[in-house]
Amino acid sequence: MQEVAAAAGVSLASVSRVLRNPNSASPDIAARVQDAAKRLGYAPSPIASSMAGAHTPIVGVVVPTLANAFFSQSLQAMSSELENSGFQLMIGTYEYDDAREEHAIQAFLRWNPIALIVTGIHHSRGAIRLLSGAACPVYEMWDFTRRPLDNIIGFSMEDAGRAVAKHLIAKQRRNLVFVGHRLNHDPRARVRAETFVEVVAAHDGATGRVVEVTERSATAGIAIMRQILTDTPDVDGVAFSGDAVALGGLAGAQDMGVRVPQDLSIIGFGDLDPAVASRPPLTTIRPPHATMGRLIAQSILHRVNNPNAETQKIDLGFELIERGST
């Protein structure tokens, strides 16, 4: 750092400040420091910074899985915002295993990150203890509660489950099924399923039940739809906890000669790109994927420059995108 300071003609403190947060210095000083560091091949050590008591330029984010396209848009939006300000996103997964989530949180906290982002509001006691004692801002995403651990930017799973049920009932569907993926492990899908059944039960003449799939794939959707139509031939509305399985369910229904939406309405969750390409196009819930990631990153950057800033509690809501399948 002393060599970079000499080459740039600035103080050691200016080098330190620019390398931590380029926006904290004037554009001229930031450019001189960055140019000198590049010419000298210098990169600060996050381990050394952590040992010195400073936060590393890392934002840790823990998501259930990278196999689910739901999370990728949020992560991409976060990464774009953070990298422009000199910070780096570091991602950990836990495959819906509470013990692995706790381990990932603990591992990130050892790096002394500037912020830590976790998925949802349901965590093990150990994870809650770690998050509550974290020396950095904590953000919960992809869910919403009025009583978060710290910051929360997301949307309500109860509201999403309620919207799906009301949409199918409004379409005069009365024999309804919710198809969920590993509901014992995915609390967000479980809350949507439970709310769905509660709303259906409150309507006279409507019935609702939940079935489960072990894989999040179109193949699993085809298989479960065949099972549903065989076991309950009078079913006239099916909600899926994800678009991939829903698209398989749509294909499975058509393979069995069931007309969509004349005989059966189908609705998904996620609004993945293939949803508009099916025939008929898939009705689905569109979460605020990118907006959520962008706002979290912007809030983190604001907290870096304003450590005493108020915590964020933002319910972004969602959209129900009605297409041909309902």
Side-chain angles (χ1 to χ4, degrees), residues 7-219:
V10 300
S11 68
L12 190 63
S14 293
V15 174
S16 178
R17 186 166 61 252
V18 169
L19 294 177
R20 286 200 312 271
N21 182 7
N23 293 330
S24 65
S26 69
D28 175 63
I29 290 178
R32 285 156 57 189
V33 169
Q34 290 168 338
D35 179 65
K38 184 176 181 180
R39 284 189 287 108
L40 294 172
Y42 173 75
S45 166
I47 296 176
S49 297
S50 182
M51 291 173 66
H55 287 291
T56 57
I58 289 172
V59 174
V61 57
V62 185
V63 294
T65 177
L66 293 177
N68 190 336
F70 292 172
F71 304 116
S72 61
Q73 293 181 45
S74 296
L75 296 175
Q76 183 61 50
M78 284 180 209
S79 182
S80 297
E81 290 283 339
L82 293 168
E83 287 179 7
N84 288 337
S85 297
F87 299 106
Q88 184 65 48
L89 198 67
M90 185 178 288
I91 302 167
T93 63
Y94 59 95
E95 299 302 328
Y96 299 96
D97 183 320
D98 287 348
R100 288 183 60 182
E101 181 192 32
E102 188 174 330
H103 178 76
I105 291 169
Q106 190 172 53
F108 277 132
L109 290 176
R110 293 194 188 105
W111 280 84
N112 207 12
I114 62 166
L116 182 58
I117 305 162
V118 293
T119 305
I121 58 176
H122 301 88
H123 313 283
S124 67
R125 289 183 179 179
I128 291 173
R129 193 162 50 245
L130 288 168
L131 294 169
S132 299
C136 65
V138 170
Y139 287 78
E140 292 170 290
M141 66 172 182
W142 277 89
D143 209 334
F144 187 78
T145 177
R146 294 292 176 186
R147 300 180 63 184
L149 294 174
D150 189 7
N151 303 274
I152 188 164
I153 300 177
F155 63 102
S156 167
M157 293 296 129
E158 289 91 346
D159 288 351
R162 188 175 298 111
V164 168
K166 287 185 173 182
H167 179 74
L168 291 175
I169 290 170
K171 297 296 180 180
Q172 305 301 314
R173 304 306 183 181
R174 293 296 180 265
N175 300 308
L176 307 177
V177 174
F178 186 99
V179 178
H181 172 256
R182 297 183 66 191
L183 297 178
N184 289 335
H185 300 277
D186 185 347
R188 289 165 300 285
R190 183 171 66 248
V191 167
R192 297 199 302 274
E194 291 171 349
T195 306
F196 177 91
V197 171
E198 289 173 5
V199 172
V200 173
H203 284 75
D204 292 338
T207 62
R209 66 187 183 93
V210 177
V211 298
E212 195 167 356
V213 290
T214 57
E215 294 181 8
R216 187 183 287 106
S217 66
T219 301

